């Protein structure tokens, strides 16, 4: 998506060779009109799939998942990063390592929200090592649901997560893939 690449180049900041700050429009201060453009693009990419639900992980993936779900006319389910007091009953669970926070957490989705009747699309704002997608795919598998693929806002291609998922047969569609990053220079695939 050339418009996303342009926004990253104009407003993003490569803080290091592997950390990109896009808080001014994507995941802290959200440009809602642009987010819905991204959601519409995801809906177009997956228009031929019989998707019944979109899942993501709290918190920064929720906005993009919601925008895509709006155009696909399906609900969004988000995995919580830990079981809280308002999550009752049985849950699907996956241990996930966060590249951004450099920590592990046990993501949960109540079993009532995913079933074997579902065809699920994973949507997230970033893809680095692929751990979030792997964890969410694990929960989809636990439910006996079908995985349609993963739709990502920004993939850090140089970290290899997307390519590893594709090599395993997972359909990964990223709106922008960064091949190389250094302060003041971003190269797209």
């Amino acid at each position: 998506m050339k418009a996303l690449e342009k926004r990253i180049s104009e407003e993003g900041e490569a803080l290091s060779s592997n950390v990109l700050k896009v808080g001014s429009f994507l995941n802290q201060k959200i440009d809602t009109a642009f987010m819905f453009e991204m959601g519409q693009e995801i809906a177009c990419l997956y228009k031929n799939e019989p998707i019944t639900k979109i899942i993501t992980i709290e918190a920064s993936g929720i906005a993009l998942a919601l925008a895509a779900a709006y155009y696909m006319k399906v609900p969004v389910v988000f995995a919580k990063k830990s079981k809280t007091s308002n999550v009752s009953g049985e849950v699907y669970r996956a241990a996930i390592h966060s590249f951004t926070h450099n920590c592990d957490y046990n993501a949960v989705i109540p079993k009532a929200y995913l079933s074997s009747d579902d065809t699920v699309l994973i949507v997230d704002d970033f893809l680095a090592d692929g751990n979030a997608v792997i964890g969410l795919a694990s929960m989809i598998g636990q439910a006996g649901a079908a995985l349609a693929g993963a739709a990502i806002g920004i993939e850090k291609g140089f970290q290899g997560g997307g390519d590893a998922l594709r090599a395993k047969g997972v359909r990964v569609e990223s709106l922008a893939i960064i091949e190389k990053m250094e302060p003041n220079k971003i190269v797209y695939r």
Side-chain angles (χ1 to χ4, degrees):
M1 182 177 180
K2 293 296 181 193
L4 178 55
E5 290 177 3
K6 184 175 188 278
R7 287 295 290 269
I8 295 166
S9 294
E10 291 174 354
E11 297 178 46
E13 184 181 354
L15 300 178
S16 69
S17 62
N18 62 2
V19 177
L20 175 66
K21 181 179 177 183
V22 288
S24 67
F25 69 93
L26 183 66
N27 58 12
Q28 189 164 19
K29 175 186 164 201
I30 298 170
D31 180 333
T32 55
F34 189 68
M35 187 65 67
F36 275 84
E37 284 179 45
M38 292 170 62
Q40 188 171 32
E41 181 68 18
I42 289 169
C44 287
L45 289 168
Y46 283 92
K47 69 182 175 192
N48 295 322
E49 298 292 332
I51 293 165
T52 60
K53 288 190 177 117
I54 288 176
I55 68 169
T56 192
I57 279 197
E58 66 177 356
S60 60
I62 294 173
L64 183 56
L66 179 68
Y70 173 82
Y71 289 103
M72 298 174 96
K73 300 184 179 2
V74 298
V76 173
V77 175
F78 67 88
K80 291 191 171 237
K81 291 185 178 176
S82 63
K83 189 170 180 183
T84 58
S85 61
N86 64 348
V87 174
S88 59
E90 294 184 35
V91 296
Y92 301 115
R93 180 182 312 272
I96 298 173
H97 180 77
S98 169
F99 174 82
T100 304
H101 300 285
N102 193 27
C103 67
D104 296 330
Y105 54 88
N106 288 306
V108 296
I109 294 176
K111 287 188 175 182
Y113 298 162
L114 280 179
S115 79
S116 59
D117 295 331
D118 287 316
T119 299
V120 184
L121 176 64
I122 296 169
V123 175
D124 209 356
D125 60 337
F126 271 92
L127 173 62
D129 296 331
N131 294 322
V133 172
I134 291 166
L136 291 171
S138 169
M139 288 188 276
I140 292 167
Q142 292 169 44
L147 173 61
I152 306 298
I154 301 169
E155 178 181 338
K156 293 192 278 180
F158 56 88
Q159 287 186 254
D163 293 333
L165 289 164
R166 290 178 188 97
K168 292 179 182 177
V170 177
R171 179 179 174 192
V172 178
E173 300 285 349
S174 298
L175 301 182
I177 302 176
I178 296 172
E179 198 60 51
K180 183 179 177 185
M181 227 173 36
E182 51 192 58
N184 300 318
K185 185 176 181 183
I186 297 172
V187 178
Y188 300 96
R189 186 178 290 177

